[in-house]
Amino acid sequence: MGNLNLKPNFSDPDSFYAALTELHRDLDPDQSERINARIILLLANHIGDQDVLLEAMRIATESPE
Amino acid sequence: MGMASPKTYTNPVYSYQHSPDQDSVTAVHHPVIIVGAGPAGLSAALDLALQGIVSVVLDDNNTVSIGSRAICFSKRTLEICDRFGCAAPMLDKGITWNLGKVFNGDRLIYEFNLLPEQHHKMPAFINLQQYYFEEYMVERAEQFSEIDLRWLHKVTQVQTDDNLAQIEVETQDGKYRMTCDYLLVADGANSPIRAQLGLESSGQVFEDRFLIADVVMQSELPTQRRFWFNPTFHAGQSTLLHRQADNVWRIDFQLGWDANPEEENKPEKILPRIQKMLGEDVEFELEWSSVYTFRCRMMESFIHHRVYFIGDAAHQVSPFGARGANGGIQGVENLTWKLAKVLKKEAPEDLVKTYDVERQQGAKENVLNSSRATDFMTPKNKTSKVFRNEVLNLAEAYPFARSLVNSGRLSVPCVYDGSPLNTEDTDDFPTKIRPGSPAIDAAITSADGKQWLLECLGGRFVAMICVKESNRLSMERLRQQITELMREAEEIDVLLVNATASGEDMLKEGCREISDTKNLIEQRYDLKPGNVYLFRPDQHVCGRWRSFSAGNVIGAMRRALGYELEVR
Ligand SMILES: Cc1cc2nc3c(=O)[nH]c(=O)nc-3n(C[C@H](O)[C@H](O)[C@H](O)COP(=O)(O)OP(=O)(O)OC[C@H]3O[C@@H](n4cnc5c(N)ncnc54)[C@H](O)[C@@H]3O)c2cc1C
């Protein structure tokens, strides 16, 4: 079983959020989709552990709309 | 579906022969009948013949594969063919390659080397047209009196119950019937026999089309596998270029689901496509071409009473990864020794049913890998396509993304983890090789001139025992155990590794001896003095121990022969 960290872990949450949204501010949806894909791939490799990745995917798909 | 017939190759024509079976009033009985003389059917006949089992092989055609189809044959397949005695002409004629290059657009994003470890008899892969591969198998089969190969004998009907299979065969001289204990069905992916028995092979069809073209050209291009995603010469799709024998080059063009297969297989359509890829000044001739939609599917069980499905009839994969013929031949190898043991009454009948257990596992692995490669090439929706393209975009700069690029995970043999025939480790061993694994080859020396470990394994059970540097006392114990093993289990050959001077008399007692001169066996098996590995007749490991005892080895052999199987 994976152990995805679901407790706050950001060194600077507000700055992260600002950077993420800023990044997309002038992009059209297609560009955003590509950038998001790259971010996911980069971070997924950093995490590496298949169980943790699967847990993140599960939570992401099961979370309420 | 092939359009042009090969120019560099003339199909042999095997003549129809009338068999005395056709004149018999009653159906003649055979222990084994094989339907189909493709790679799977021919392998089965060869392996059974080596075990002394006679078989009848029926094929509805009078030649080998028309057009090439399979081109990449893996190390394990070559090792198996070497056991059959037909690998030499394959290696001679085939093209050995190690280097693969992957392009995104027109840019090289990375290279891979199949990096074969040194000191194996067989290379990682050869490329050879399927018709040559089959022709060499047929030539070998013709040398065995055990094999009754009948061309232009078409099986039209099959019936079976738990005791017998009965078939009807159609020939130019009319119909005849035969019965057999085991019917091996190797009639190809569309298996009419499977359909006639009401059985299914299920899985997925990939919504895409591929033009597969073989062209003849004199080219200075290096012998490499080259794969393009979205090159300018074929925008939006992928392309593969690979060299075969006789200056024939295989080109796969992905066409997309909307392509019209008939249109795409017309020379006026194909030739400009290829010219554009190769460059305006390159001269080539079209050898053979066909348009395919690929699928991955397998039967829920490969066994139906006395009918055993093998090869593409049992399981079919898309070709990226070269797991079709390669996987098929590995499946056959799994079945034949078991069948031989059962027919010789040297094992319980249930042994042969473990073919289904072990090869369901093998086929699932092949289907999974082939499906993943095909999905990477043909993303199923827009988001998948975005991920695929971004993997490719990241791959040039970042090694991590290269691990996700999938233009085919090339065929490797299945490790039968968890098989009921394995005796699991009780001692501490590295797991790179383990119970269920195929043997790993190594260069060795021996008095009888053998140079490779794999030449010393296969056909029978073999206990490989390391005796180097043992002291007098442990040597005495070893000798006792070996004597006991040879007395109690005639089915096991004893292979001594690095027997010292005191091993000489064991040799006289009927052991074989090899020297691990390069310490490869020690490295690859972690085989230390006093350790033992037991190999099955198909060269897979079925047990290993740090300390050799005849009782353990015999117990593992009995388990591998199916004596411990739970009654179903
Ligand atoms: C484009 C392409 C590329 C491929 N590339 C590779 C590759 O690189 N590596 C690889 O390993 N695999 C590859 N494959 C797959 C490979 O070709 C097949 O897996 C292989 O041919 C299967 O062998 P088989 O003996 O099961 O069946 P087949 O080769 O299809 O042989 C079936 C035989 O049965 C005979 N037959 C059929 N019905 C009857 C009947 N009623 N009575 C008597 N005889 C009958 C047929 O005449 C035929 O000779 C490729 C396939 C394709 C299409």
Side-chain angles (χ1 to χ4, degrees):
Chain A
M1 276 285 99
N3 46 352
L4 180 68
N5 188 357
L6 295 168
K7 303 203 182 76
N9 190 41
F10 293 107
S11 58
D12 186 347
D14 289 346
S15 299
F16 162 72
Y17 193 81
L20 185 65
T21 47
E22 185 56 31
L23 186 76
H24 287 287
R25 205 166 119 177
D26 297 323
L27 300 183
D28 65 36
D30 281 350
Q31 287 170 318
S32 280
E33 194 180 8
R34 287 203 294 275
I35 302 289
N36 281 341
R38 287 184 197 188
I39 294 172
I40 291 170
L41 292 167
L42 285 157
L43 296 179
N45 177 66
H46 185 86
I47 293 160
D49 186 321
Q50 174 75 352
D51 289 337
V52 175
L53 294 169
L54 286 178
E55 198 183 340
M57 288 188 228
R58 182 182 60 76
I59 292 171
T61 36
E62 285 173 5
S63 289
E65 292 291 312
Chain B
M1 236 201 276
M3 52 142 300
S5 61
K7 296 177 179 65
T8 57
Y9 182 77
T10 311
N11 272 73
V13 177
Y14 304 117
S15 59
Y16 166 79
Q17 304 275 330
H18 184 92
S19 158
D21 290 0
Q22 295 172 249
D23 307 324
S24 168
V25 196
T26 54
V28 175
H29 184 79
H30 296 273
V32 181
I33 298 176
I34 301 166
V35 191
L42 289 166
S43 298
L46 285 168
D47 214 4
L48 287 171
L50 286 171
Q51 300 273 353
I53 302 290
V54 297
S55 66
V56 177
V57 185
L58 306 165
D59 197 278
D60 61 354
N61 207 342
N62 65 351
T63 187
V64 293
S65 180
I66 312 263
S68 178
R69 296 198 286 158
I71 62 163
C72 296
F73 294 94
S74 74
K75 179 167 177 292
R76 184 64 197 153
T77 294
L78 294 169
E79 290 168 352
I80 296 170
C81 289
D82 201 33
R83 213 162 45 66
F84 296 165
C86 56
M90 296 171 178
L91 287 168
D92 250 21
K93 185 78 193 174
I95 304 271
T96 302
W97 64 279
N98 292 316
L99 199 65
K101 288 189 171 169
V102 180
F103 298 82
N104 183 22
D106 300 337
R107 294 163 67 95
L108 176 67
I109 50 173
Y110 76 98
E111 301 183 356
F112 59 86
N113 196 322
L114 298 175
L115 265 190
E117 260 182 338
Q118 287 288 293
H119 307 302
H120 287 252
K121 183 172 182 184
M122 294 299 158
F125 269 94
I126 61 163
N127 283 2
L128 180 67
Q129 292 90 317
Q130 183 163 343
Y131 37 74
Y132 281 118
F133 186 83
E134 290 180 18
E135 186 182 331
Y136 301 145
M137 284 189 140
V138 172
E139 277 169 11
R140 183 68 182 123
E142 282 168 346
Q143 295 169 352
F144 284 96
S145 58
E146 288 86 351
I147 302 177
D148 178 354
L149 187 46
R150 301 181 193 170
W151 303 100
L152 298 170
H153 286 241
K154 178 178 180 161
V155 177
T156 49
Q157 259 197 54
V158 173
Q159 282 170 332
T160 180
D161 60 24
D162 281 339
N163 301 311
L164 204 71
Q166 191 176 124
I167 62 171
E168 189 177 86
V169 186
E170 208 171 75
T171 71
Q172 60 199 55
D173 293 337
K175 292 179 178 177
Y176 68 106
R177 288 179 168 275
M178 291 187 285
T179 58
C180 58
D181 297 320
Y182 293 94
L183 184 73
L184 310 191
V185 174
D187 58 350
N190 293 325
S191 182
I193 294 177
R194 189 180 63 214
Q196 192 232 306
L197 289 171
L199 302 170
E200 259 178 57
S201 182
S202 52
Q204 61 172 324
V205 177
F206 298 95
E207 297 195 342
D208 205 341
R209 297 186 204 281
F210 289 83
L211 169 69
I212 313 289
D214 283 349
V215 305
V216 197
M217 62 173 175
Q218 302 293 331
S219 172
E220 299 302 310
L221 285 172
T223 304
Q224 300 165 348
R225 178 185 197 264
R226 301 206 289 168
F227 196 99
W228 289 263
F229 291 96
N230 193 22
T232 44
F233 63 77
H234 189 50
Q237 307 285 9
S238 64
T239 305
L240 172 72
L241 177 66
H242 221 177
R243 181 179 199 164
Q244 308 173 62
D246 299 336
N247 291 316
V248 173
W249 296 72
R250 164 64 54 90
I251 308 175
D252 294 7
F253 287 108
Q254 183 183 24
L255 299 174
W257 190 225
D258 297 333
N260 176 331
E262 265 112 73
E263 282 301 307
E264 292 296 342
N265 205 17
K266 291 186 174 156
E268 59 266 34
K269 195 84 185 195
I270 298 178
L271 297 176
R273 229 188 237 305
I274 297 176
Q275 197 76 65
K276 193 169 168 197
M277 168 186 187
L278 298 174
E280 290 310 318
D281 46 348
V282 174
E283 280 179 38
F284 68 90
E285 262 192 291
L286 188 59
E287 172 94 345
W288 169 80
S289 72
S290 189
V291 175
Y292 288 92
T293 290
F294 294 123
R295 58 196 302 173
C296 284
R297 55 175 172 167
M298 56 188 278
M299 297 179 72
E300 209 165 274
S301 167
F302 303 146
I303 305 177
H304 181 68
H305 303 288
R306 290 284 168 156
V307 177
Y308 284 63
F309 289 88
I310 56 177
D312 274 11
H315 39 66
Q316 181 185 5
V317 294
S318 51
F320 307 101
R323 287 167 181 263
N326 288 309
I329 289 168
Q330 285 148 27
V332 168
E333 165 180 63
N334 185 282
L335 172 63
T336 38
W337 72 271
K338 296 173 180 172
L339 196 53
K341 286 282 181 201
V342 169
L343 285 166
K344 292 183 202 164
K345 306 218 177 324
E346 293 170 0
E349 270 192 28
D350 275 350
L351 174 63
V352 75
K353 303 206 174 120
T354 63
Y355 159 64
D356 194 49
V357 179
E358 295 188 326
R359 288 316 299 178
Q360 284 281 332
Q361 185 181 350
K364 277 180 190 145
E365 221 172 84
N366 289 331
V367 164
L368 184 71
N369 280 287
S370 306
S371 303
R372 285 173 173 173
T374 315
D375 282 338
F376 191 84
M377 255 167 260
T378 308
K380 288 210 163 81
N381 63 23
K382 178 166 173 267
T383 304
S384 307
K385 188 159 188 174
V386 169
F387 274 115
R388 198 279 303 272
N389 290 344
E390 295 320 315
V391 164
L392 292 170
N393 288 337
L394 291 168
E396 189 177 350
Y398 304 106
F400 89 85
R402 293 173 205 163
S403 66
L404 300 175
V405 176
N406 191 346
S407 67
R409 302 281 181 239
L410 292 167
S411 172
V412 284
C414 177
V415 176
Y416 303 126
D417 281 318
S419 164
L421 304 185
N422 294 348
T423 295
E424 298 305 338
D425 285 341
T426 43
D427 299 335
D428 200 24
F429 272 103
T431 54
K432 189 181 161 231
I433 185 163
R434 53 189 186 271
S437 301
I440 305 173
D441 201 8
I444 50 119
T445 54
S446 79
D448 59 4
K450 292 206 163 64
Q451 296 180 315
W452 305 99
L453 176 60
L454 289 191
E455 293 174 349
C456 309
L457 308 176
R460 289 167 52 84
F461 280 89
V462 178
M464 176 171 82
I465 307 161
C466 180
V467 290
K468 191 174 74 175
E469 291 169 298
S470 289
N471 60 36
R472 185 172 286 279
L473 206 70
S474 53
M475 205 62 191
E476 196 43 53
R477 194 188 154 268
L478 200 62
R479 189 191 321 263
Q480 266 175 18
Q481 291 299 315
I482 289 175
T483 312
E484 187 184 330
L485 181 65
M486 294 180 40
R487 194 181 55 229
E488 302 294 324
E490 275 176 23
E491 310 89 316
I492 301 180
D493 285 347
V494 175
L495 183 68
L496 302 179
V497 180
N498 297 338
T500 45
S502 48
E504 288 280 316
D505 53 333
M506 284 198 251
L507 199 71
K508 290 197 198 91
E509 291 164 26
C511 301
R512 286 183 294 148
E513 195 206 328
I514 57 174
S515 298
D516 187 18
T517 8
K518 297 193 163 83
N519 295 328
L520 297 167
I521 299 183
E522 187 184 338
Q523 289 160 27
R524 292 174 188 175
Y525 291 83
D526 198 35
L527 190 78
K528 306 229 167 71
N531 296 177
V532 56
Y533 270 75
L534 181 65
F535 297 95
R536 318 193 307 196
D538 60 356
Q539 300 180 331
H540 280 249
V541 177
C542 60
R544 55 182 180 174
W545 302 265
R546 286 298 183 194
S547 157
F548 168 52
S549 101
N552 282 344
V553 173
I554 292 169
M557 178 199 69
R558 288 184 56 80
R559 175 176 286 277
L561 284 173
Y563 287 105
E564 312 290 328
L565 291 172
E566 281 176 28
V567 194
R568 300 201 278 181

